[in-house]
């Protein structure tokens, strides 16, 4: 049996990717999953990562994200792909490189090496970057969204955005879509990107 397609959805906070990721999974029969936190262990790590009262160093934060991912790959993503089913991940390794690397300043080379340890060869066939200006994303975010990342401010989100665009630049496994428009505009770009890899 051939391995299922693995698609990651990425973007700054408020980019709207989660709504589309869930919809596409419903429409295609792919497994929808997210990080951090979509496992029994992940629930505990997510609480630490988003709401810890303890100050985390950027490196500690990165290693907790990667612990969550490593467990998530082994428990859910790899077995699902091995059954031939597609997986749609709401955030994956590009989130760690952009948030902890570009955003918080963790050494990028070390972060990529730690990522290798966490995920092995379980890499997305396609990573879709939902790109939009930081101020547009900020207006879209629900007022209840108030975790450690949302509180890091617009300059942090700018660095994350730049990181995602730099990773995507010239990389055939990435597609950047314009997420500043309305739902239908985004949906049309997504359909085109996913048709190109055979998911839709
Ligand atoms: P979440 O509420 O799931 O946000 P979203 O709906 O935008 O995905 O919160 C996840 C937060 O964790 C988000 O601000 C991005 C951050 N994050 C990292 O900093 N590094 C990572 O590796 C991952 C997976 C997420």
């Amino acid at each position: 049996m051939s391995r299922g397609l693995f698609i990651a959805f990425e973007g700054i906070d408020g980019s709207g990717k989660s709504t589309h990721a869930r919809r596409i999974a419903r429409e295609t029969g792919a497994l929808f999953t997210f990080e951090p936190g979509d496992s029994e262990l992940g629930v505990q790590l997510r609480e630490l990562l988003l709401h810890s009262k303890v100050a985390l160093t950027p490196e500690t934060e990165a290693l907790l994200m990667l612990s969550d991912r490593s467990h998530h790959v082994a428990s859910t993503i790899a077995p699902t792909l091995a059954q031939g089913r597609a997986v749609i991940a709401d955030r994956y390794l590009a989130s760690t490189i952009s948030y902890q690397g570009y955003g918080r300043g963790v050494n990028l080379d070390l972060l990529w090496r730690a990522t290798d340890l966490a995920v092995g060869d379980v890499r997305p066939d396609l990573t879709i970057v939902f790109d939009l200006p930081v101020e547009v994303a900020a207006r879209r975010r629900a007022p209840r969204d108030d975790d450690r990342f949302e509180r890091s401010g617009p300059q942090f989100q700018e660095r994350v955005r730049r990181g995602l665009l730099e990773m995507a630049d010239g990389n055939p496994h990435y597609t950047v879509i314009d997420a500043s428009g309305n739902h239908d505009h985004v949906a049309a770009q997504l359909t085109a990107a996913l048709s190109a890899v055979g998911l839709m």
Side-chain angles (χ1 to χ4, degrees):
M1 188 191 307
S2 63
R3 178 183 170 278
L5 270 176
F6 183 19
I7 315 285
F9 282 40
E10 301 278 2
I12 59 174
D13 296 284
S15 62
K17 65 185 170 34
S18 305
T19 309
H20 286 281
R22 287 178 190 275
R23 174 181 64 79
I24 300 277
R26 263 197 319 274
E27 289 174 8
T28 60
L31 175 77
F32 170 84
T33 186
F34 63 88
E35 294 184 1
D38 199 8
S39 68
E40 226 171 301
L41 175 65
V43 171
Q44 299 176 50
L45 292 171
R46 181 179 171 91
E47 183 57 28
L48 285 172
L49 279 159
L50 298 192
H51 305 294
S52 176
K53 303 253 176 339
V54 182
L56 303 176
T57 68
E59 288 75 16
T60 304
E61 184 178 279
L63 290 166
L64 286 172
M65 289 292 181
L66 291 171
S67 300
D68 174 61
R69 179 157 312 125
S70 174
H71 176 72
H72 189 208
V73 166
S75 60
T76 306
I77 298 176
T80 305
L81 295 172
Q83 287 163 15
R85 185 175 175 198
V87 172
I88 305 259
D90 183 356
R91 298 195 180 281
Y92 195 59
L93 58 83
S95 278
T96 310
I97 304 297
S98 56
Y99 279 76
Q100 279 66 52
Y102 286 82
R104 301 258 198 249
V106 176
N107 180 285
L108 287 176
D109 185 44
L110 294 176
L111 210 44
W112 276 115
R113 285 159 64 188
T115 295
D116 288 346
L117 176 67
V119 309
D121 63 358
V122 182
R123 311 278 161 157
D125 299 291
L126 180 66
T127 295
I128 300 178
V129 175
F130 283 57
D131 184 55
L132 78 176
V134 167
E135 60 276 13
V136 177
R139 283 201 296 274
R140 278 190 190 166
R141 287 209 296 270
R144 60 173 171 74
D145 284 353
D146 182 33
D147 60 41
R148 293 180 50 255
F149 299 97
E150 320 252 348
R151 286 199 299 271
S152 294
Q155 283 170 1
F156 175 78
Q157 299 285 333
E158 290 288 0
R159 291 196 296 278
V160 173
R161 181 185 185 199
R162 182 168 57 79
L164 289 170
L165 293 176
E166 276 187 28
M167 263 183 281
D169 190 28
N171 189 328
H173 293 288
Y174 281 70
T175 294
V176 178
I177 65 167
D178 169 16
S180 66
N182 65 22
H183 181 94
D184 290 352
H185 179 63
V186 174
Q189 296 173 79
L190 269 178
T191 302
L194 293 171
S195 306
V197 292
L199 188 68
M200 295 187 87

